[in-house]
């Protein structure tokens, strides 16, 4: 079992920044990849950024150059630095851990005002 605890969401003005954090615990050896997804009202959940076990990163085209995924292995934590935020970034952001199963954080609301 893997537990994910997210933090860092909130309200920010367009052009501002937020840093999301996801602290993982449990059977971490089973995890092959971690990433961030988001879901806006009325829309499907989409991949924002992912960090694979092999060290590769993947970003949605809409966030490239603005968002950065990083990890702190000593603290079993994954971060998502979000810069130059836009109103269309408004969504609930979910931390995901992928292995034999998918594990999800509780979600954290990010709201970007114009």
């Amino acid at each position: 079992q893997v537990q994910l605890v997210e933090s860092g969401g909130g309200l920010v003005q367009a052009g501002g920044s937020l840093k999301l954090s996801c602290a993982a615990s449990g059977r971490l050896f089973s995890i092959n990849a971690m990433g961030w997804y988001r879901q806006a009202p009325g829309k499907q959940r989409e991949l924002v950024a992912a960090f694979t076990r092999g060290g590769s990163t993947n970003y949605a085209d809409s966030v490239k150059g603005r968002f950065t995924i990083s990890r702190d292995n000593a603290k079993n934590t994954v971060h998502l630095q979000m810069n130059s935020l836009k109103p269309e970034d408004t969504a609930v952001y979910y931390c995901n851990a992928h292995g034999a199963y998918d594990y999800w954080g509780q979600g954290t609301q990010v709201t970007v005002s114009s």
Side-chain angles (χ1 to χ4, degrees):
Q1 186 70 35
V2 174
Q3 296 82 42
L4 305 173
V5 179
E6 303 168 357
S7 61
L11 174 65
V12 66
Q13 294 182 351
S17 298
L18 285 173
K19 187 175 183 178
L20 307 183
S21 298
C22 174
S25 61
R27 298 180 179 272
L28 305 183
F29 64 88
S30 67
I31 300 303
N32 297 317
M34 295 189 69
W36 292 92
Y37 290 71
R38 67 186 181 187
Q39 187 167 22
K43 297 184 179 180
Q44 294 183 337
R45 188 172 299 185
E46 64 175 347
L47 175 68
V48 177
F51 200 11
T52 69
R53 195 176 190 90
S56 298
T57 57
N58 187 42
Y59 295 92
D61 288 341
S62 60
V63 307
K64 287 181 178 177
R66 300 188 297 121
F67 291 10
T68 303
I69 188 170
S70 63
R71 64 184 178 187
D72 185 339
N73 289 333
K75 297 182 178 181
N76 297 318
T77 301
V78 176
H79 304 281
L80 184 67
Q81 178 67 49
M82 305 184 294
N83 298 325
S84 301
L85 283 162
K86 304 175 180 179
E88 51 263 44
D89 295 319
T90 296
V92 178
Y93 284 70
Y94 297 91
C95 183
N96 168 260
H98 177 72
Y101 307 94
D102 278 323
Y103 302 93
W104 296 92
Q106 78 283 2
T108 184
Q109 177 71 47
V110 172
T111 302
V112 184
S113 62
S114 300

